[in-house]
PDB file of all heavy atoms in Angstrom:
ATOM      1  N   GLY A  48     121.863  80.184  80.303  1.00 76.00           N
ATOM      2  CA  GLY A  48     121.220  78.882  80.067  1.00 76.00           C
ATOM      3  C   GLY A  48     119.708  78.941  80.165  1.00 76.00           C
ATOM      4  O   GLY A  48     119.001  78.583  79.209  1.00 76.00           O
ATOM      5  N   PRO A  49     119.151  79.397  81.280  1.00 79.00           N
ATOM      6  CA  PRO A  49     117.690  79.492  81.377  1.00 79.00           C
ATOM      7  C   PRO A  49     117.092  80.466  80.374  1.00 79.00           C
ATOM      8  O   PRO A  49     116.005  80.234  79.850  1.00 79.00           O
ATOM      9  CB  PRO A  49     117.451  79.982  82.806  1.00 79.00           C
ATOM     10  CG  PRO A  49     118.670  79.596  83.550  1.00 79.00           C
ATOM     11  CD  PRO A  49     119.793  79.647  82.565  1.00 79.00           C
ATOM     12  N   MET A  50     117.811  81.542  80.086  1.00 83.00           N
ATOM     13  CA  MET A  50     117.281  82.516  79.139  1.00 83.00           C
ATOM     14  C   MET A  50     117.143  81.896  77.745  1.00 83.00           C
ATOM     15  O   MET A  50     116.127  82.086  77.072  1.00 83.00           O
ATOM     16  CB  MET A  50     118.201  83.733  79.075  1.00 83.00           C
ATOM     17  CG  MET A  50     117.663  84.854  78.208  1.00 83.00           C
ATOM     18  SD  MET A  50     118.761  86.283  78.180  1.00 83.00           S
ATOM     19  CE  MET A  50     120.145  85.636  77.274  1.00 83.00           C
ATOM     20  N   THR A  51     118.147  81.138  77.316  1.00 80.00           N
ATOM     21  CA  THR A  51     118.049  80.507  76.006  1.00 80.00           C
ATOM     22  C   THR A  51     116.975  79.428  75.996  1.00 80.00           C
ATOM     23  O   THR A  51     116.333  79.216  74.968  1.00 80.00           O
ATOM     24  CB  THR A  51     119.394  79.900  75.570  1.00 80.00           C
ATOM     25  OG1 THR A  51     119.826  78.964  76.565  1.00 80.00           O
ATOM     26  CG2 THR A  51     120.442  80.967  75.369  1.00 80.00           C
ATOM     27  N   GLY A  52     116.774  78.759  77.125  1.00 76.00           N
ATOM     28  CA  GLY A  52     115.714  77.763  77.200  1.00 76.00           C
ATOM     29  C   GLY A  52     114.331  78.379  77.076  1.00 76.00           C
ATOM     30  O   GLY A  52     113.380  77.726  76.664  1.00 76.00           O
ATOM     31  N   PHE A  53     114.199  79.655  77.429  1.00 78.00           N
ATOM     32  CA  PHE A  53     112.921  80.352  77.317  1.00 78.00           C
ATOM     33  C   PHE A  53     112.790  81.053  75.967  1.00 78.00           C
ATOM     34  O   PHE A  53     111.771  80.961  75.302  1.00 78.00           O
ATOM     35  CB  PHE A  53     112.784  81.363  78.455  1.00 78.00           C
ATOM     36  CG  PHE A  53     111.499  82.129  78.423  1.00 78.00           C
ATOM     37  CD1 PHE A  53     110.315  81.525  78.791  1.00 78.00           C
ATOM     38  CD2 PHE A  53     111.474  83.448  78.016  1.00 78.00           C
ATOM     39  CE1 PHE A  53     109.131  82.213  78.755  1.00 78.00           C
ATOM     40  CE2 PHE A  53     110.289  84.151  77.981  1.00 78.00           C
ATOM     41  CZ  PHE A  53     109.112  83.536  78.348  1.00 78.00           C
ATOM     42  N   VAL A  54     113.838  81.754  75.553  1.00 83.00           N
ATOM     43  CA  VAL A  54     113.787  82.550  74.332  1.00 83.00           C
ATOM     44  C   VAL A  54     113.857  81.668  73.086  1.00 83.00           C
ATOM     45  O   VAL A  54     113.199  81.961  72.081  1.00 83.00           O
ATOM     46  CB  VAL A  54     114.928  83.597  74.330  1.00 83.00           C
ATOM     47  CG1 VAL A  54     115.016  84.319  73.009  1.00 83.00           C
ATOM     48  CG2 VAL A  54     114.721  84.584  75.464  1.00 83.00           C
ATOM     49  N   GLY A  55     114.624  80.574  73.135  1.00 79.00           N
ATOM     50  CA  GLY A  55     114.798  79.712  71.969  1.00 79.00           C
ATOM     51  C   GLY A  55     113.490  79.185  71.395  1.00 79.00           C
ATOM     52  O   GLY A  55     113.220  79.375  70.197  1.00 79.00           O
ATOM     53  N   PRO A  56     112.658  78.514  72.191  1.00 80.00           N
ATOM     54  CA  PRO A  56     111.387  78.032  71.639  1.00 80.00           C
ATOM     55  C   PRO A  56     110.465  79.159  71.170  1.00 80.00           C
ATOM     56  O   PRO A  56     109.761  79.014  70.169  1.00 80.00           O
ATOM     57  CB  PRO A  56     110.747  77.273  72.811  1.00 80.00           C
ATOM     58  CG  PRO A  56     111.886  76.884  73.677  1.00 80.00           C
ATOM     59  CD  PRO A  56     112.891  77.987  73.539  1.00 80.00           C
ATOM     60  N   LEU A  57     110.482  80.281  71.867  1.00 83.00           N
ATOM     61  CA  LEU A  57     109.654  81.410  71.464  1.00 83.00           C
ATOM     62  C   LEU A  57     110.113  81.936  70.104  1.00 83.00           C
ATOM     63  O   LEU A  57     109.301  82.154  69.196  1.00 83.00           O
ATOM     64  CB  LEU A  57     109.732  82.511  72.523  1.00 83.00           C
ATOM     65  CG  LEU A  57     108.838  83.718  72.330  1.00 83.00           C
ATOM     66  CD1 LEU A  57     107.369  83.305  72.396  1.00 83.00           C
ATOM     67  CD2 LEU A  57     109.144  84.752  73.399  1.00 83.00           C
ATOM     68  N   LEU A  58     111.415  82.110  69.955  1.00 82.00           N
ATOM     69  CA  LEU A  58     111.977  82.565  68.690  1.00 82.00           C
ATOM     70  C   LEU A  58     111.716  81.542  67.584  1.00 82.00           C
ATOM     71  O   LEU A  58     111.379  81.907  66.452  1.00 82.00           O
ATOM     72  CB  LEU A  58     113.474  82.832  68.851  1.00 82.00           C
ATOM     73  CG  LEU A  58     114.210  83.400  67.648  1.00 82.00           C
ATOM     74  CD1 LEU A  58     113.614  84.746  67.253  1.00 82.00           C
ATOM     75  CD2 LEU A  58     115.690  83.567  67.988  1.00 82.00           C
ATOM     76  N   ALA A  59     111.850  80.266  67.916  1.00 80.00           N
ATOM     77  CA  ALA A  59     111.585  79.216  66.929  1.00 80.00           C
ATOM     78  C   ALA A  59     110.130  79.268  66.462  1.00 80.00           C
ATOM     79  O   ALA A  59     109.843  79.033  65.282  1.00 80.00           O
ATOM     80  CB  ALA A  59     111.905  77.845  67.510  1.00 80.00           C
ATOM     81  N   GLY A  60     109.203  79.588  67.364  1.00 84.00           N
ATOM     82  CA  GLY A  60     107.800  79.719  66.971  1.00 84.00           C
ATOM     83  C   GLY A  60     107.602  80.818  65.947  1.00 84.00           C
ATOM     84  O   GLY A  60     106.871  80.642  64.963  1.00 84.00           O
ATOM     85  N   PHE A  61     108.249  81.960  66.158  1.00 87.00           N
ATOM     86  CA  PHE A  61     108.153  83.051  65.187  1.00 87.00           C
ATOM     87  C   PHE A  61     108.792  82.656  63.848  1.00 87.00           C
ATOM     88  O   PHE A  61     108.254  82.968  62.778  1.00 87.00           O
ATOM     89  CB  PHE A  61     108.808  84.320  65.726  1.00 87.00           C
ATOM     90  CG  PHE A  61     108.029  84.969  66.831  1.00 87.00           C
ATOM     91  CD1 PHE A  61     108.618  85.180  68.064  1.00 87.00           C
ATOM     92  CD2 PHE A  61     106.708  85.370  66.641  1.00 87.00           C
ATOM     93  CE1 PHE A  61     107.903  85.787  69.099  1.00 87.00           C
ATOM     94  CE2 PHE A  61     105.989  85.974  67.657  1.00 87.00           C
ATOM     95  CZ  PHE A  61     106.582  86.178  68.891  1.00 87.00           C
ATOM     96  N   ILE A  62     109.930  81.981  63.913  1.00 86.00           N
ATOM     97  CA  ILE A  62     110.616  81.563  62.689  1.00 86.00           C
ATOM     98  C   ILE A  62     109.764  80.565  61.908  1.00 86.00           C
ATOM     99  O   ILE A  62     109.629  80.668  60.688  1.00 86.00           O
ATOM    100  CB  ILE A  62     112.006  80.976  63.025  1.00 86.00           C
ATOM    101  CG1 ILE A  62     112.925  82.082  63.531  1.00 86.00           C
ATOM    102  CG2 ILE A  62     112.617  80.285  61.816  1.00 86.00           C
ATOM    103  CD1 ILE A  62     114.241  81.582  64.103  1.00 86.00           C
TER     104      ILE A  62
END
Side-chain angles (χ1 to χ4, degrees):
M50 185 179 69
T51 57
F53 180 74
V54 173
L57 185 64
L58 184 60
F61 289 122
I62 291 171

